[in-house]
């Protein structure tokens, strides 16, 4: 993603810096998204030509000064520009005005934090994105959808043939607001983990194809940033290592098959980004796969995570699906908890 590391990937120069830093260090194949900011419209086509997969934007403050959000006029300008070269705009969809009108976050109570990020903020932002897609024909992808109240708007847009897609995340599918203890800011993310009934509706939308992808939205931080105050704590859940098992645990309980999980977590995201060699185990694709023991369980121990900062909302949970090994382009890069060295390549949009 283009932010939370400096420089942000909002210019070709920034992209080159990122690629140079990543090239000797990546353990898996990695590509870059560009960023769309107020004032960088002239950079979008050059970034597209340089191979980024699309452009991330926010409709509300991102939390970092170097990546401001798009206002209404900026969004229109960016959408026209991206549509002009057939690019993809991926958007954090929370409306800044609705957030400003909500009660401010602060203190240890999760209920107060949830009230500060209401359904209405997501719903209004999604409606605005659908309208923009209708005006300009821009391919728009709604990132990390949390509010099930916005599903009808997305379904309506797709029924009309608009190029709108959506994703949700493992934590929205497996965790609920009712179970978040006060002060437990390892559960803080934006948009937030919502109620159990909302979670059920997200599962229904996956089954119906209204939501196509399940994506980590991995957002790590050092442990000291997760202070027990929801107004001040870093917002983000780390899901890369545990996402497959977390989603499979809930999916199997609801009667879904591993094929469904593979479609949501691999095939559909690869197709969205245009990765023709990724997303399926079949002739002509890269031999990327996990060897999974689907009926075996493990209990999440933060100390056993490979994340640089082992902070997790899943601590102490028993999950189905033990990953025995991981393979990249036919080479085993992880086996029974032991990682190999960097073997990844840098990817570009085809």
């Amino acid at each position: 993603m283009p932010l939370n590391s400096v420089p942000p990937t909002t210019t070709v120069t920034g992209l080159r810096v990122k690629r140079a830093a990543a090239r000797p260090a990546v353990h898996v194949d990695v590509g870059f998204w560009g960023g769309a900011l107020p004032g960088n419209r002239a950079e979008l086509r050059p970034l597209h030509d340089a191979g980024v997969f699309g452009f991330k934007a926010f409709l509300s403050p991102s939390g970092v000064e170097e990546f401001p959000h798009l206002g209404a006029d900026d969004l229109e300008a960016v959408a026209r520009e991206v549509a002009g070269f057939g690019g993809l705009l991926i958007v954090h969809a929370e409306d800044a005005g609705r957030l400003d009108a909500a009660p401010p976050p602060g203190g240890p109570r999760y209920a107060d934090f949830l009230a500060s990020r209401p359904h209405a903020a997501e719903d209004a932002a999604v409606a605005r994105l659908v309208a923009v897609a209708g005006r300009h024909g821009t391919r728009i992808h709604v990132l990390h959808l949390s509010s099930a109240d916005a599903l009808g708007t997305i379904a309506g847009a797709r029924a009309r043939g608009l190029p709108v897609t959506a994703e949700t995340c493992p934590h929205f599918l497996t965790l609920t607001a009712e179970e978040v203890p006060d002060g437990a800011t390892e559960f803080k993310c934006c948009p937030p983990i919502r109620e159990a009934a909302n979670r059920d509706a997200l599962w229904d939308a996956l089954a119906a194809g209204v939501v196509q992808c399940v994506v980590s939205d991995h957002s790590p931080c050092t442990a000291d940033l997760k202070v027990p105050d929801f107004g001040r704590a870093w917002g983000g859940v780390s899901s890369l290592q545990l996402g497959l098992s977390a989603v499979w645990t809930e999916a199997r309980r609801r009667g879904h098959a591993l094929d469904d999980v593979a479609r949501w977590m691999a095939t559909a995201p690869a197709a969205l980004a245009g990765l023709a060699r990724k997303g399926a185990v079949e002739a002509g694709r890269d031999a990327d796969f996990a060897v999974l023991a689907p009926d075996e369980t493990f209990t999440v121990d933060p100390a056993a995570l490979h994340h640089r900062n082992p902070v997790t909302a899943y601590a102490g949970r028993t999950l189905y699906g033990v990953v025995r090994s991981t393979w990249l382009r036919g080479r085993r890069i992880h086996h029974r908890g032991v990682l190999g060295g960097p073997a990844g390549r840098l990817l570009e949009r085809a």
Side-chain angles (χ1 to χ4, degrees):
M1 282 297 166
L3 71 161
N4 297 132
S5 58
V6 176
T9 320
T10 53
T11 65
V12 173
T13 299
L15 175 63
R16 289 173 180 153
V17 170
K18 296 285 183 68
R19 285 177 172 162
R23 188 168 286 110
V26 291
H27 286 254
V28 296
D29 291 352
V30 173
F32 292 88
W33 297 90
L37 308 179
N40 85 322
R41 190 176 73 171
E43 300 284 350
L44 301 183
R45 182 62 183 258
L47 280 165
H48 178 79
D49 292 344
V52 299
F53 294 111
F55 301 93
K56 183 173 186 178
F58 284 76
L59 301 188
S60 57
S62 71
V64 293
E65 290 184 7
E66 67 272 13
F67 208 95
H69 67 285
L70 299 179
D73 292 342
D74 298 318
L75 176 61
E76 295 287 340
V78 165
R80 282 194 301 270
E81 182 73 16
V82 172
F85 53 76
L88 174 64
L89 185 61
I90 65 173
V91 186
H92 177 112
E94 288 184 287
D95 181 80
R98 299 297 181 102
L99 293 180
D100 287 343
R109 294 184 69 243
Y110 187 72
D112 293 340
F113 172 66
L114 194 59
S116 76
R117 317 292 298 207
H119 285 264
E122 282 191 84
D123 305 341
V126 169
R128 187 192 312 172
L129 292 172
V130 167
V132 165
R135 282 192 290 274
H136 305 297
T138 316
R139 288 195 297 141
I140 291 180
H141 181 68
V142 178
L143 294 171
H144 39 66
L145 181 72
S146 163
S147 173
D149 291 353
L151 292 169
T153 302
I154 294 169
R158 293 179 59 77
R160 289 156 48 204
L162 295 181
V164 175
T165 52
E167 69 184 43
T168 191
C169 302
H171 39 284
F172 299 143
L173 295 170
T174 61
L175 306 174
T176 65
E178 291 89 341
E179 64 188 322
V180 178
D182 288 344
T185 54
E186 61 269 27
F187 291 86
K188 179 184 175 179
C189 55
C190 300
I193 295 164
R194 301 193 187 276
E195 306 81 0
N198 186 88
R199 179 183 65 173
D200 292 343
L202 291 176
W203 277 102
D204 290 343
L206 272 174
V210 176
V211 173
Q212 300 78 40
C213 306
V214 178
V215 176
S216 73
D217 195 35
H218 185 79
S219 182
C221 70
T222 54
D224 60 295
L225 296 181
K226 286 291 192 180
V227 296
D229 181 323
F230 280 97
R232 296 190 298 115
W234 175 268
V237 174
S238 299
S239 297
L240 280 179
Q241 185 172 342
L242 301 173
L244 172 59
S245 299
V247 172
W248 169 234
T249 298
E250 189 66 19
R252 75 194 298 276
R253 186 178 75 83
R254 293 171 180 265
H256 294 288
L258 271 173
D259 285 355
D260 298 321
V261 175
R263 184 175 70 255
W264 299 327
M265 301 190 78
T267 306
L272 177 77
L275 291 168
R277 295 188 58 85
K278 304 293 187 182
V281 180
E282 62 185 30
R285 307 261 189 161
D286 291 345
D288 299 342
F289 56 91
V291 177
L292 186 75
D295 297 323
E296 295 191 25
T297 63
F298 67 100
T299 300
V300 177
D301 175 8
L305 295 177
H306 292 296
H307 300 167
R308 178 180 296 176
N309 302 295
V311 178
T312 177
Y314 299 100
R317 289 178 175 266
T318 298
L319 302 178
Y320 280 90
V322 175
V323 177
R324 296 295 187 206
S325 61
T326 307
W327 296 70
L328 175 66
R329 286 179 273 102
R331 173 183 174 181
R332 190 171 68 185
I333 60 171
H334 154 260
H335 183 60
R336 295 186 180 274
V338 179
L339 297 177
R345 296 174 181 170
L346 298 190
L347 304 175
E348 297 181 10
R349 178 187 47 77

